[in-house]
Amino acid sequence: MGYETITVTQWSPNVGAEIGNIDLTKPLNATQVKEVRDAITLHGVLFFRNQKIDFADHERFVRYFGQPHEHIGGDGTASTRIPGHPGIRKQYFDAKSKRVAGEDWHSDQSYGDIPPTYSILYQEQIPPNGGGDTMFLSASKAYEELSDGMKAYLKGKTATHMGGKSFVNNPEDRPEVVHPVVTRHPESGRNVLFVNPSFTSHINGVPPEESKRVLQYIYEHMARPHWCMRFRWNNHSIAMWDNRAVQHMAIWDYWPNVRSGYRMFLEGSAPPMAG
Ligand code: SIN
């Protein structure tokens, strides 16, 4: 694909690309926005470096693609609200943290009726000696590499996703929803494995032991390094991922150091469609 305004450098054959020649502290024109959208559809997750954005820049960037999506589920230890900015959550971890956000594979808020489309995570402070990387996997490439027999088995199946599976500290606030196990990305047209170990409780309509073993197989298959990548952050980097195409996992190897940033979601427009 040719780009007129931005540069796009792939991180791996199947997932991820770094975007250059763009300044997210300034307004973007329509061509820049279209090229960012084209790039994320192709690569699933994009990285931007040296972008010292403030809340207004973060919100403006999200609004080029639609409306901000407010986090479903109450305040937890993993992220907190910012007064006056309902779409922004602070993610701050230090020596006192008992957990961090997103330590197992997931797509964000898959337990919502309409999960957020994109997540845009800005890191202000990264641990001084490395650490705090984020892993990404292509859930479409993982689907495509399943056998025909497994694809036929999964076709038409649904799975239950539960917020309470991870957010155990908010018992009153545990959304639960059913989505297809295989979804179709509305822009790329690719099929995607839409189950994850953080929020999917079971495949519906099969015995519990079968659900457990099939999910275990899928999770091991999705985590194969062939369609994964690991992003190393700097201060003022941004990762923007498409929850309809990739899953991600945060690595908490930096305790007791500080890692601190801000995350926004882009509101989805429709429930995930069956692939
Ligand atoms: C998340 O899953 O919300 C956080 C990802 C990260 O901190 O790298």
Side-chain angles (χ1 to χ4, degrees):
M1 180 174 300
Y3 297 94
E4 276 175 34
T5 63
I6 58 173
T7 60
V8 179
T9 309
Q10 276 185 244
W11 265 68
S12 76
N14 295 309
V15 60
E18 188 155 331
I19 304 303
N21 202 34
I22 194 164
D23 180 353
L24 301 183
T25 67
K26 305 259 164 37
L28 303 181
N29 64 38
T31 309
Q32 289 172 304
V33 173
K34 178 189 177 302
E35 292 190 351
V36 169
R37 196 194 285 278
D38 288 347
I40 197 168
T41 303
L42 201 57
H43 300 290
V45 52
L46 306 179
F47 309 107
F48 305 83
R49 295 210 189 261
N50 303 317
Q51 307 283 341
K52 200 171 175 185
I53 58 171
D54 59 20
F55 293 153
D57 298 328
H58 206 158
E59 286 164 338
R60 183 182 60 242
F61 184 58
V62 169
R63 286 185 192 281
Y64 287 126
F65 304 96
Q67 292 303 311
H69 162 110
E70 279 185 45
H71 185 94
I72 309 165
D75 274 336
T77 52
S79 73
T80 48
R81 287 166 217 272
I82 304 289
H85 297 275
I88 302 185
R89 303 283 288 206
K90 180 166 185 162
Q91 297 188 336
Y92 177 91
F93 309 109
D94 64 10
K96 292 201 221 70
S97 298
K98 298 275 183 286
R99 55 172 289 215
V100 304
E103 273 190 275
D104 203 351
W105 289 111
H106 62 289
S107 55
D108 284 324
Q109 311 238 294
S110 70
Y111 50 82
D113 290 324
I114 303 184
T117 302
Y118 300 151
S119 302
I120 296 105
L121 178 61
Y122 166 63
Q123 294 294 0
E124 198 166 50
Q125 186 178 349
I126 286 297
N129 306 314
D133 295 354
T134 307
M135 304 272 310
F136 293 90
L137 67 80
S138 168
S140 33
K141 180 64 176 170
Y143 171 81
E144 288 154 11
E145 294 294 330
L146 290 173
S147 68
D148 289 345
M150 182 54 91
K151 287 178 185 161
Y153 171 83
L154 295 178
K155 194 168 175 57
K157 291 217 168 22
T158 61
T160 298
H161 297 240
M162 301 173 78
K165 199 159 175 267
S166 285
F167 299 140
V168 287
N169 51 336
N170 293 309
E172 77 290 355
D173 199 359
R174 295 180 174 180
E176 185 176 323
V177 72
V178 170
H179 292 307
V181 171
V182 177
T183 55
R184 180 174 290 267
H185 191 285
E187 281 128 38
S188 71
R190 292 171 79 184
N191 278 356
V192 178
L193 282 167
F194 198 71
V195 285
N196 67 78
S198 295
F199 302 128
T200 307
S201 58
H202 60 280
I203 297 178
N204 301 310
V206 302
E209 202 55 31
E210 181 175 325
S211 160
K212 193 169 138 196
R213 303 242 170 171
V214 171
L215 287 175
Q216 188 180 345
Y217 171 74
I218 293 175
Y219 297 154
E220 282 170 18
H221 171 79
M222 284 201 294
R224 286 189 74 197
H226 304 66
W227 33 85
C228 293
M229 59 147 292
R230 178 171 174 144
F231 179 62
R232 184 161 208 193
W233 299 84
N234 306 108
N235 292 351
H236 314 302
S237 301
I238 294 172
M240 171 188 193
W241 59 88
D242 186 336
N243 290 298
R244 303 164 303 174
V246 302
Q247 292 186 21
H248 62 285
M249 179 172 86
I251 301 175
W252 192 21
D253 56 357
Y254 52 89
W255 187 92
N257 288 311
V258 172
R259 181 180 187 258
S260 176
Y262 298 94
R263 190 215 58 219
M264 291 192 72
F265 290 141
L266 174 71
E267 193 169 75
S269 52
M273 68 177 147

